């Protein structure tokens, strides 16, 4: 195909040169006008009609020549443009066309909260492109007022409705958890719509009670290539479980971590991972199921120092669990970090793990009392060591960070280490050196 196009380019160039050569010869070889200005025999029938004004004839011929040369110049420029597209540059490599930007849809999981408007308004406010980030709102519950709010956005969003609104048969002791079963069913249906019906290759999932930060889209767009290329990662989350004011570094909005804990609350998933999870998707409690070692399989997620989502939904199936004590105080990032212009290769496992462990275990070892009473000396970082489930939970609870564990993994933990700020100093709550694996009985 390239050889054929090259031949066409050469042919066009040849015609251009030949035409102009003939044109010049004809003009130079044109005989002078006959007596009294009459044209010679070679001029009869030519495009420029003779007149008695010899000077005028010459000027008109010049105008015709100039117009023709201009037209030929345009043709040559077009030939050169096509040649630049198809001919390989010097060095023999073919010209590489820039890949099209990835489309990353946003899936909003909705039910019966009319406050979904706050979620969608922020998404629309901060969205850089409707084409690159289509918003899909999937609604369960059949709540008419919520459906009307979603419809009010018109073609700015795609409104899906979960068709199965029936109750789910559960064990008698699980009747109070009916809502969790319906949520899990809805997630499965909605994700199948995204990946199977709409054929997207990735998705960012938010729930209807989340507000997003100004650089929410920038964050996920920058991390998509890393998620695709790094087998040791299986999700990217916008959430820091310990991201309350005073527990994060306000000057490091650009700081990102690997974590072994699945955070959720605004997270990106690839189609390949969904194809792995969907056949065994649980009937309920899908988020805790994601935190089991059988699903995680030693993989990590990326999470930020400062959250890119904020939950405003106190009421829900979890009845506000953790909301009043932790979630309502989460700090939402307010500045724009240009992540797509940053080098994020430090998050690759072979780089990150060694650097992280070096920083943690070279930090000064301190006591719980020194941290609790604000007696740390120097800028830090500092290491506070726990040796058992009970010591972890006691120190966490008393220091104001989340103390629960899922399958042995603490919230935000990476290789057992939880990072947080205490009175402006970095503290690592860490297991002893030589840590190898989580204990699933620590739950």
């Amino acid at each position: 195909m390239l050889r054929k196009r090259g031949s066409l380019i050469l042919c066009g160039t040849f015609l251009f040169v030949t035409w102009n050569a003939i044109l010049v010869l004809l003009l130079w070889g044109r005989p002078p006008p006959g007596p009294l200005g009459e044209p010679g025999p070679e001029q009869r029938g030519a495009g420029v009609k003779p007149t008695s004004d010899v000077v005028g004839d010459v000027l008109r011929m010049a105008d015709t020549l100039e117009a023709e040369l201009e037209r030929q110049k345009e043709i040559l420029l077009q030939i050169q443009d096509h040649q630049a597209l198809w001919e390989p540059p010097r060095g023999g490599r073919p010209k590489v066309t820039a890949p099209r930007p990835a489309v990353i849809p946003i899936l909003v999981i909705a039910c019966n909260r009319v406050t979904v408007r706050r979620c969608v308004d922020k998404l629309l406010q901060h969205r850089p492109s409707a084409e690159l980030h289509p918003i899909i709102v999937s609604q369960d519950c059949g709540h008419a007022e919520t459906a009307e709010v979603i419809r009010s956005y018109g073609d700015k969003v795609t409104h899906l409705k979960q068709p199965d609104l029936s109750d789910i048969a559960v064990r008698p002791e699980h009747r109070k958890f009916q809502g969790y079963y319906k949520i899990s069913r809805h997630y499965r249906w909605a994700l199948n719509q995204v990946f199977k019906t709409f054929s997207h290759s990735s998705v960012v999932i938010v729930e209807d009670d989340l507000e997003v930060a100004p650089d929410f889209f920038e964050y996920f767009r920058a991390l998509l290539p890393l998620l695709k290329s790094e087998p040791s990662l299986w999700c990217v989350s916008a959430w820091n479980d310990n991201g309350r004011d005073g527990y994060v570094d306000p000057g490091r909005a650009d700081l990102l971590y690997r974590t072994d804990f699945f955070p959720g609350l605004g997270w990106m998933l690839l189609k390949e991972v969904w194809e792995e999870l969907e056949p065994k998707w649980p009937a309920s409690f899908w988020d805790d199921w994601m935190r089991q070692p059988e699903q995680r399989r030693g993989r990590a997620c990326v999470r930020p120092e400062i959250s890119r989502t904020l939950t405003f939904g106190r009421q829900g199936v979890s009845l506000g669990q953790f909301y009043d004590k932790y979630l309502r105080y989460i700090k939402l990032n307010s500045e724009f970090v240009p992540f797509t212009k940053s080098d994020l290769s430090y998050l690759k496992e072979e780089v990150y793990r060694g650097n992280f462990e070096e920083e943690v275990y070279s930090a000064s070892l301190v006591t719980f009392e020194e941290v609790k009473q604000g007696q740390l000396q120097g800028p830090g970082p500092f290491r506070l060591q726990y040796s058992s489930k009970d010591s972890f939970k006691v120190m966490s609870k008393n220091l104001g960070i989340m103390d629960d564990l899922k399958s042995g993994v603490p919230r935000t933990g990476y290789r057992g280490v939880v990072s947080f700020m205490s009175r402006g100093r970095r503290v690592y709550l860490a297991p002893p050196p030589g840590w190898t694996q989580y204990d699933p009985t620590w739950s």
Side-chain angles (χ1 to χ4, degrees):
M1 182 63 74
L2 289 177
R3 184 175 299 172
K4 184 176 180 181
R5 290 192 175 101
S7 300
L8 291 173
I9 291 168
L10 291 175
C11 182
T13 305
F14 173 76
L15 290 173
F16 171 79
V17 174
T18 303
W19 169 255
N20 282 285
I22 294 171
L23 185 61
V24 171
L25 287 172
L26 285 173
L27 291 171
W28 276 99
R30 188 184 186 107
L36 301 177
E38 290 183 6
E42 291 84 355
Q43 285 181 287
R44 293 187 181 99
V48 179
K49 294 182 178 180
T51 69
S52 59
D53 183 3
V54 177
V55 175
D57 285 345
V58 173
L59 291 175
R60 281 191 293 275
M61 288 166 55
D63 290 340
T64 302
L65 175 61
E66 183 180 2
E68 184 63 24
L69 288 175
E70 188 63 32
R71 191 175 74 87
Q72 295 298 325
K73 180 181 176 182
E74 291 178 4
I75 293 173
L76 181 59
L77 289 174
Q78 291 175 5
I79 292 172
Q80 289 174 337
D81 288 342
H82 284 84
Q83 190 175 23
L85 286 173
W86 296 108
E87 280 192 354
R90 293 176 184 177
R93 292 185 179 180
K95 184 179 180 69
V96 178
T97 304
R100 296 182 64 184
V103 174
I104 309 175
I106 311 300
L107 174 63
V108 181
I109 299 293
C111 181
N112 58 358
R113 292 188 180 110
V114 294
T115 51
V116 66
R117 183 179 298 280
R118 176 174 169 183
C119 172
V120 176
D121 281 350
K122 284 297 182 179
L123 286 169
L124 292 172
Q125 177 185 341
H126 299 312
R127 180 173 67 170
S129 166
E131 291 182 358
L132 297 182
H133 297 287
I135 296 173
I136 303 168
V137 184
S138 182
Q139 185 190 1
D140 199 359
C141 308
H143 189 248
E145 289 82 358
T146 301
E148 184 56 38
V149 169
I150 300 168
R151 278 196 298 271
S152 71
Y153 289 97
D155 59 4
K156 292 180 181 178
V157 306
T158 298
H159 185 190
L160 304 180
K161 295 182 180 179
Q162 151 75 307
D164 187 358
L165 303 181
S166 63
D167 283 340
I168 300 172
V170 300
R171 302 193 306 269
E173 63 270 23
H174 272 210
R175 285 175 185 166
K176 62 181 179 180
F177 300 131
Q178 178 77 211
Y180 289 102
Y181 282 82
K182 290 185 176 182
I183 288 174
S184 190
R185 179 177 65 185
H186 185 198
Y187 262 84
R188 184 176 199 162
W189 180 84
L191 286 169
N192 277 332
Q193 294 301 303
V194 170
F195 290 124
K196 296 182 179 181
T197 303
F198 297 121
S199 300
H200 289 295
S201 59
S202 64
V203 67
V204 174
I205 304 146
V206 299
E207 295 189 359
D208 55 1
D209 61 347
L210 289 182
E211 179 180 329
V212 303
D215 59 352
F216 174 86
F217 293 93
E218 172 80 358
Y219 172 76
F220 284 108
R221 178 158 292 281
L223 284 162
L224 178 61
L226 181 69
L227 182 61
K228 286 183 172 180
S229 63
E230 180 68 9
S232 65
L233 293 175
W234 73 318
C235 89
V236 175
S237 174
W239 182 257
N240 176 0
D241 277 293
N242 289 312
R244 293 188 294 158
D245 250 331
Y247 289 81
V248 294
D249 186 342
R252 293 302 311 275
D254 62 324
L255 188 57
L256 307 179
Y257 297 84
R258 292 174 69 101
T259 176
D260 299 319
F261 189 88
F262 171 74
L265 292 175
W267 57 288
M268 182 159 58
L269 176 71
L270 297 180
K271 182 178 182 179
E272 294 81 3
V273 177
W274 177 243
E275 289 173 343
E276 169 195 326
L277 298 174
E278 195 267 344
K280 55 179 181 176
W281 191 250
S284 64
F285 306 107
W286 69 269
D287 48 351
D288 284 344
W289 176 84
M290 289 278 286
R291 293 161 182 154
Q292 294 173 358
E294 293 81 7
Q295 280 63 254
R296 188 170 63 84
R297 293 169 49 196
R299 294 170 293 190
C301 295
V302 175
R303 60 97 175 169
E305 169 78 358
I306 303 178
S307 290
R308 265 62 186 186
T309 53
L310 173 69
T311 178
F312 54 84
R314 185 180 184 277
Q315 297 301 321
V317 293
S318 62
L319 301 179
Q321 184 183 24
F322 299 129
Y323 184 84
D324 290 331
K325 189 173 182 180
Y326 297 104
L327 304 184
R328 65 184 299 181
Y329 302 108
I330 293 292
K331 178 179 175 63
L332 180 67
N333 183 56
S334 59
E335 63 179 276
F336 188 92
V337 178
F339 284 113
T340 56
K341 298 180 181 178
S342 304
D343 182 2
L344 302 178
S345 60
Y346 71 91
L347 290 166
K348 292 183 177 181
E349 184 178 32
E350 67 271 16
V351 178
Y352 186 90
R353 178 172 168 177
N355 291 341
F356 184 80
E357 290 184 340
E358 172 65 23
E359 178 166 338
V360 170
Y361 290 101
S362 64
S364 299
L365 186 63
V366 294
T367 65
F368 169 76
E369 288 73 20
E370 289 174 317
V371 178
K372 179 67 175 175
Q373 296 172 17
Q375 297 174 345
L376 300 176
Q377 302 296 319
F382 301 95
R383 176 165 54 96
L384 177 60
Q385 186 167 296
Y386 68 88
S387 56
S388 66
K389 171 186 173 181
D390 289 340
S391 64
F392 172 83
K393 292 183 77 69
V394 167
M395 286 191 281
S396 297
K397 184 174 293 185
N398 283 280
L399 291 173
I401 61 176
M402 298 191 78
D403 65 324
D404 62 320
L405 305 104
K406 302 292 184 180
S407 297
V409 184
R411 291 181 184 267
T412 76
Y414 177 70
R415 297 189 62 77
V417 180
V418 173
S419 172
F420 65 98
M421 299 295 289
S422 178
R423 294 180 171 85
R425 293 175 173 86
R426 176 69 59 188
V427 176
Y428 295 113
L429 181 56
W435 180 96
T436 56
Q437 62 184 2
Y438 292 104
D439 184 346
T441 65
W442 288 21
S443 292

